[in-house]
Amino acid sequence: MNPYKLHIFVCLGKRCAAKGSEDVLERLKEKIKDDGLKDAVKVSRSGCLKVCKETHSEGEYSAAVVIYPDGVWYRNVMVSDVDEIVDRHVKKGETVERLLHFKMSR
């Protein structure tokens, strides 16, 4: 088995999970598989990434997604954003700026 090109983590902390992050995770897995990227991209669940805590007031949480080794952290990710993340970031290497929380410099 060759190493993955990208590893995507989806926050399943209790606040994000309450806002549908499990659905984001499942859609990401489905999209990666459907687009034939399963051997190049790994999708995993993560514990709390604390992104929502830094960006929202109480009760306004939504999924956080991190893509490595790119070091890109997305926030406010909903199921409807998954196709754009895969099509733009995973396939083309473009950051989806409207969802960007933080990008590590390399």
Side-chain angles (χ1 to χ4, degrees):
M1 181 170 102
N2 292 325
Y4 294 104
K5 176 185 167 196
L6 296 174
H7 196 160
I8 303 173
F9 296 91
V10 179
C11 178
L12 292 181
K14 66 180 180 180
R15 292 179 184 115
C16 289
K19 293 293 186 173
S21 63
E22 185 78 42
D23 294 335
V24 170
L25 175 73
E26 292 308 314
R27 177 62 190 138
L28 264 167
K29 288 181 176 181
E30 180 181 276
K31 175 76 171 156
I32 293 298
K33 181 181 176 187
D34 290 350
D35 287 6
L37 301 168
K38 204 167 105 170
D39 292 335
V41 181
K42 174 77 172 163
V43 179
S44 299
R45 59 184 56 234
S46 167
C48 182
L49 296 168
K50 303 215 185 301
V51 171
C52 57
K53 213 172 190 181
E54 297 173 12
T55 59
H56 292 294
S57 61
E58 190 65 34
E60 295 179 9
Y61 300 96
S62 59
V65 173
V66 180
I67 302 179
Y68 278 101
D70 297 351
V72 173
W73 293 58
Y74 290 119
R75 65 177 179 215
N76 302 328
V77 178
M78 299 182 348
V79 172
S80 59
D81 299 314
V82 169
D83 287 6
E84 181 179 10
I85 290 171
V86 173
D87 292 341
R88 290 186 53 208
H89 188 126
V90 173
K91 291 180 179 177
K92 297 178 183 175
E94 300 172 1
T95 302
V96 182
E97 295 292 333
R98 67 183 178 78
L99 299 172
L100 185 63
H101 171 65
F102 181 79
K103 186 173 185 177
M104 298 172 70
S105 58
R106 299 204 299 169

